[in-house]
């Protein structure tokens, strides 16, 4: 019937039990795969990180390879020697038997009946094999040659012991008969041939066992009795046992030698790796600030000289680092002291300047202009002093973050509204691109507003009258604000230098808005205080872009920014789009 699903269930199969077994086995298989994956990962990690493991493993692999090829060569030589000795002894033994059998066969009475002839042949086989039956050295088989006997009773094969006559392969029989007939026609009846075969011997249970053997055969010919093929079969049991003993001995010796070489490699590499690991641990401690750590020097070899050189380097680094720390401490103390000491005279001068500025209308024009210049320069001096005090707080670790959930878009709007007049005066426009949904993050509004104010003012000042684009975006764990200008831009390598204190790309450039040279340094410290990034990108003549990335939750690490560091309208990206190549965004590094 159409639309009906049918299932064929084998009789005797319990489907519920099968399903339960599959459900029980599935977690076990998953756990096994996970364990194998962990072990494989651990092995790969150990191989990647440990020189000693790689040296020992390589030594073992090469030792195994060398031992394998050496054992193969030795086994081959032993096998060839055993077979050659066996072959010489077998041919000598068979040659004497062939002469005896040929003489006995040719002296047989032609008037002998078939039964008597068959018995005579069987007696001949037993007599020939009697020399090897006790020691199991060889067996004898007698086969009728093709066309040699018209009587079927006389053509039945004969063999001594438990040997099966069909063990003689057809290739050997053809060789013995064909070459034997040729030699007989030439008057030489002493030809024989030999071949390595797999001889079959009857067992008591009715079966048979196969044994490698060497078969040597000749042709017995008589005008009256016809032709017969006589074979001596020499089992290679003793040679096989000897070869197995040699092989087992070589395998055992090779395994022991490989293990011994592995232990030796481990001990040798340990002497080299141990000082290197010690140097790595001490280097990590030095990097962590424990500058008094030193390596232990033992002996006068290369490793001892390495340890001595490492200790000298650590001592020099410790001395230089302490000098730099002392210099930095003195510098920070000097900035802090100067900033605080200048507060009092600045306040007094400010009060006097305010009095002069308020009464400037009653002064002569040049005195009035001087009072205005004094007021402007005092504003700049007070701004510099404020920045120096803020830097000293960061240096002293006294900066405090007062974070609260804030919509970053509101801070951006406040900054834009406060600097619209400045942008208009420079011939620029402030363009804000923001998403319709809120971009909320836990930030200190005062510090973030100071960062954005600094970025916008710098963009307007260096934008050369072009538009300044402020882009806001939010990701899964972060929010970002990018300030893009189309002015002079940055030269290669300046994207990190702009955050240095008092650094300027062009010290001779005229400034319309003043500036202390500390704004971006303070902005970078504010970003780091939030656990965020402040990064810069720029190209000469194509403007620059500064990107501020902040975590939505204060103190959490962020992995990526929702805004690419290189803007989509950069010269390189425009070239990629024009050429038809796929667009690829460039994400910034971690901290600037």
């Amino acid at each position: 019937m159409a639309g009906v699903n049918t299932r064929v269930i084998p009789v005797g199969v319990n489907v519920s039990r099968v399903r339960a077994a599959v459900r029980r086995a599935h977690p076990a298989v998953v756990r096994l795969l996970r364990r194998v994956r962990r072990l494989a990962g651990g092995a790969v990690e150990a191989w990647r990180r440990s020189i000693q493991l790689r040296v020992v493993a390589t030594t073992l692999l090469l030792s195994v390879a060398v031992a394998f090829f050496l054992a193969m060569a030795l086994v081959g030589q032993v096998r060839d020697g055993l077979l050659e000795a066996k072959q010489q002894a077998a041919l000598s033994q068979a040659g004497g038997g062939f002469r005896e059998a040929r003489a006995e066969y040719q002296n047989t009475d032609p008037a002998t009946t078939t039964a008597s002839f068959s018995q005579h042949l069987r007696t001949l086989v037993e007599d020939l094999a009697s020399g090897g039956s006790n020691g199991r050295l060889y067996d004898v088989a007698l086969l009728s040659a093709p066309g040699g006997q018209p009587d079927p009773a006389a053509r039945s094969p004969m063999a001594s012991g438990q040997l099966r006559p069909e063990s003689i392969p057809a290739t050997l029989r053809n060789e013995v008969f064909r070459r034997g007939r040729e030699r007989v026609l030439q008057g030489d009846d002493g030809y024989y041939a030999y071949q390595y075969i797999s001889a079959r011997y009857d067992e008591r249970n009715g079966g048979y066992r196969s044994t490698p053997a060497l078969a040597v055969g000749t042709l017995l010919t008589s005008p009256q009795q016809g032709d017969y093929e006589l074979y001596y079969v020499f089992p290679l049991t003793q040679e096989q046992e000897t070869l197995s003993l040699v092989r087992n001995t070589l395998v055992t010796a090779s395994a022991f030698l490989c293990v011994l070489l592995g232990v030796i490699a481990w001990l040798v590499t340990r002497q080299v790796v141990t000082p290197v690991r010690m140097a790595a641990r001490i280097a990590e401690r030095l990097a962590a600030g424990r500058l008094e750590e030193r390596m232990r020097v033992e002996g006068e070899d290369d490793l001892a000289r390495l340890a001595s050189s490492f200790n000298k380097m650590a001592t020099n680094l410790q001395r230089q680092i302490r000098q730099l720390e002392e210099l930095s401490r003195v510098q920070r103390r000097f900035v802090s002291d100067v900033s605080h000491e200048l507060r009092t005279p600045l306040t007094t001068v400010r009060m006097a300047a305010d009095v002069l500025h308020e009464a400037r209308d009653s002064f002569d024009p040049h005195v009035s202009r001087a009072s205005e210049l004094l007021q402007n320069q005092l504003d700049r001096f007070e701004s510099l002093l404020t920045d120096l005090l803020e830097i000293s707080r960061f240096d002293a670790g006294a900066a405090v973050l007062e974070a609260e959930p804030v919509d970053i878009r509101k801070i951006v709007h406040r900054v834009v509204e406060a600097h619209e007049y400045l942008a208009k005066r420079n011939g620029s426009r402030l363009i804000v691109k923001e998403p319709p949904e809120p971009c909320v993050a836990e930030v200190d509004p005062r510090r973030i507003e100071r960062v954005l104010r600094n970025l916008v003012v710098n963009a307007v000042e260096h934008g050369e009258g072009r538009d300044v684009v402020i882009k806001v975006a939010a990701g899964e764990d972060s929010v970002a604000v990018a300030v893009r200008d189309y002015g002079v831009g940055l030269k290669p390598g300046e994207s990190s230098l702009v955050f240095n204190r008092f650094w300027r790309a062009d010290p001779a450039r005229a400034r319309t808005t003043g500036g202390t040279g500390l704004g971006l340094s303070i902005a970078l410290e504010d970003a780091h205080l939030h656990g965020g990034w402040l990064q810069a990108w720029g190209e000469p003549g194509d403007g620059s872009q500064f990107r501020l990335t902040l975590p939505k939750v204060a103190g959490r690490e962020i992995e990526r920014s929702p805004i690419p560091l290189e803007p989509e309208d950069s010269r390189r990206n425009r070239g990629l789009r024009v050429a038809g190549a796929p667009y690829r965004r460039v994400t910034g590094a971690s901290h600037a």
Side-chain angles (χ1 to χ4, degrees):
M1 294 177 61
V4 177
N5 295 326
T6 60
R7 292 186 300 172
V8 178
I9 301 177
V11 178
V13 176
N14 192 323
V15 179
S16 61
R17 290 184 178 179
V18 172
R19 290 177 177 174
V22 171
R23 284 194 298 269
R24 288 194 303 267
H26 178 68
V29 173
V30 171
R31 287 195 299 270
L32 178 61
L33 292 177
R34 289 177 179 174
R35 186 175 303 174
V36 170
R37 190 180 298 111
R38 285 196 299 269
L39 292 176
V44 172
E45 183 70 14
W47 174 267
R48 187 177 62 86
R49 295 175 63 90
S50 177
I51 297 178
Q52 187 175 11
L53 177 61
R54 292 200 297 269
V55 171
V56 172
T58 304
T59 303
L60 285 176
L61 290 177
L62 294 177
S63 300
V64 169
V66 172
F68 174 77
F69 288 111
L70 182 61
M72 291 290 292
L74 291 177
V75 169
Q77 291 182 357
V78 172
R79 181 186 63 245
D80 294 342
L82 291 175
L83 292 180
E84 184 177 359
K86 184 68 174 180
Q87 179 179 318
Q88 293 178 356
L91 294 179
S92 176
Q93 183 74 30
F98 290 156
R99 289 190 294 270
E100 180 183 351
R102 192 174 290 110
E104 184 71 21
Y105 179 72
Q106 292 177 354
N107 294 329
T108 303
D109 187 2
T112 304
T113 60
T114 300
S116 300
F117 182 70
S118 298
Q119 182 62 36
H120 178 74
L121 293 179
R122 186 169 300 279
T123 302
L124 175 63
V125 169
E126 292 177 355
D127 291 342
L128 293 175
S130 61
S133 59
N134 294 331
R136 298 288 182 182
L137 297 179
Y138 59 87
D139 286 293
V140 179
L142 184 65
L143 308 177
S144 176
Q149 273 291 340
D151 190 352
R155 291 201 304 266
S156 60
M158 305 176 188
S160 64
Q162 306 299 323
L163 177 67
R164 288 189 175 187
E166 60 267 23
S167 299
I168 308 302
T171 55
L172 179 61
R173 295 194 60 185
N174 293 335
E175 181 72 14
V176 169
F177 179 73
R178 183 173 59 84
R179 291 296 180 88
R181 295 293 298 173
E182 292 177 359
R183 290 296 183 90
V184 170
L185 293 177
Q186 295 175 3
D188 181 13
D189 59 354
Y191 172 78
Y192 58 86
Y194 62 89
Q195 181 180 340
Y196 291 99
I197 66 172
S198 178
R200 299 177 182 179
Y201 292 88
D202 290 326
E203 295 284 354
R204 293 181 180 179
N205 56 6
Y208 68 90
R209 58 181 175 86
S210 297
T211 302
L214 174 63
V216 184
T218 190
L219 181 66
L220 302 180
T221 179
S222 173
Q224 296 82 12
Q225 306 297 338
D227 298 336
Y228 281 87
E229 299 168 8
L230 180 63
Y231 296 94
Y232 274 68
V233 178
F234 297 86
L236 301 177
T237 305
Q238 293 183 355
E239 289 73 14
Q240 192 174 19
E241 292 177 355
T242 303
L243 190 61
S244 298
L245 178 61
V246 172
R247 186 184 294 111
N248 294 336
T249 303
L250 288 176
V251 169
T252 303
S254 300
F256 177 76
L257 180 61
C258 291
V259 173
L260 183 61
L261 289 176
V263 173
I264 294 174
W266 182 80
L267 293 175
V268 172
T269 54
R270 186 171 182 270
Q271 295 180 0
V272 179
V273 171
T274 299
V276 175
R277 290 176 177 173
M278 183 185 302
R281 288 194 298 268
I282 294 177
E284 292 176 355
R285 295 171 186 172
L286 290 174
R290 299 171 60 180
L291 302 178
E292 70 282 353
E293 291 289 337
R294 296 293 183 272
M295 288 186 64
R296 185 174 56 198
V297 180
E298 295 180 354
E300 299 178 356
D301 54 7
D302 295 336
L303 294 176
R305 289 195 296 270
L306 173 62
S308 178
S309 301
F310 185 91
N311 292 339
K312 291 179 181 179
M313 178 192 68
T315 302
N316 293 333
L317 287 176
Q318 182 183 15
R319 183 174 60 255
Q320 294 178 9
I321 290 174
R322 287 180 176 175
Q323 290 176 356
L324 291 175
E325 288 178 347
E326 182 65 21
L327 179 61
S328 178
R329 186 187 64 81
V330 171
Q331 190 178 30
R332 289 196 301 267
R333 182 64 180 271
F334 173 77
V335 172
S336 178
D337 292 344
V338 169
S339 302
H340 285 85
E341 291 297 330
L342 288 178
R343 271 297 183 184
T344 301
L346 178 62
T347 302
T348 304
V349 175
R350 166 65 71 180
M351 293 173 60
D354 289 342
V355 172
L356 294 175
H357 189 266
E358 291 176 358
R360 69 183 181 278
D361 294 337
S362 61
F363 298 152
D364 293 335
H366 63 280
V367 177
S368 176
R369 177 57 179 165
S371 65
E372 290 178 358
L373 292 176
L374 177 61
Q375 189 75 12
N376 293 335
Q377 295 304 316
L378 282 175
D379 290 339
R380 288 187 58 196
F381 186 68
E382 189 172 10
S383 177
L384 174 60
L385 191 58
T386 302
D387 290 344
L388 288 175
L389 287 173
E390 190 66 22
I391 285 290
S392 64
R393 292 191 189 97
F394 283 118
D395 291 339
V400 179
L401 183 67
E402 298 177 358
E404 59 182 66
V406 178
D407 189 351
I408 302 297
R409 299 180 305 169
K410 295 181 179 180
I411 301 179
V412 172
H413 292 164
R414 289 200 301 267
V415 173
V416 170
E417 291 174 359
H419 296 86
E420 281 182 343
Y421 174 76
L422 176 63
K424 188 179 298 183
R425 192 176 68 184
N426 285 270
S428 301
R429 292 186 305 165
L430 298 180
I431 301 174
V432 179
K433 296 182 179 181
E434 60 182 10
E437 63 275 1
C439 300
V440 180
E442 295 181 2
V443 299
D444 188 334
R446 179 182 65 86
R447 296 182 182 276
I448 298 304
E449 184 173 349
R450 180 170 61 188
V451 173
L452 296 179
R453 182 173 62 249
N454 191 288
L455 297 181
V456 171
V457 169
N458 285 343
V460 171
E461 181 179 354
H462 305 304
E464 297 185 338
R466 298 184 179 91
D467 293 342
V468 174
V469 180
I470 305 169
K471 186 176 181 181
V472 185
E476 295 181 358
D477 59 350
S478 62
V479 296
V481 180
V483 180
R484 170 81 159 105
D485 69 77
Y486 299 89
V488 295
L490 296 173
K491 297 178 182 179
E494 292 183 349
S495 58
S496 59
L497 296 177
V498 294
F499 299 103
N500 293 343
R501 299 176 184 181
F502 303 107
W503 184 88
R504 290 187 180 279
D506 184 8
R509 186 175 62 241
R511 293 174 290 155
T512 60
T513 59
T516 64
L518 295 174
L520 289 178
S521 299
I522 296 174
L524 180 63
E525 295 294 342
D526 284 331
H528 289 176
L529 190 62
H530 285 80
W533 308 337
L534 180 58
Q535 300 160 290
W537 168 92
E539 289 182 350
D542 197 28
S544 60
Q545 175 167 291
F546 286 77
R547 182 185 67 180
L548 173 65
T549 307
L550 300 170
K552 288 186 174 181
V553 180
R556 287 190 179 178
E557 294 185 359
I558 51 180
E559 296 181 356
R560 57 178 302 176
S561 177
I563 300 177
L565 180 60
E566 182 176 352
E568 297 180 357
D569 58 354
S570 66
R571 185 182 297 116
R572 189 176 68 90
N573 288 333
R574 290 197 303 268
L576 290 176
R577 288 196 294 271
V578 170
Y583 175 71
R584 180 175 62 89
R585 289 186 175 182
V586 179
T587 59
S590 56
H591 292 241

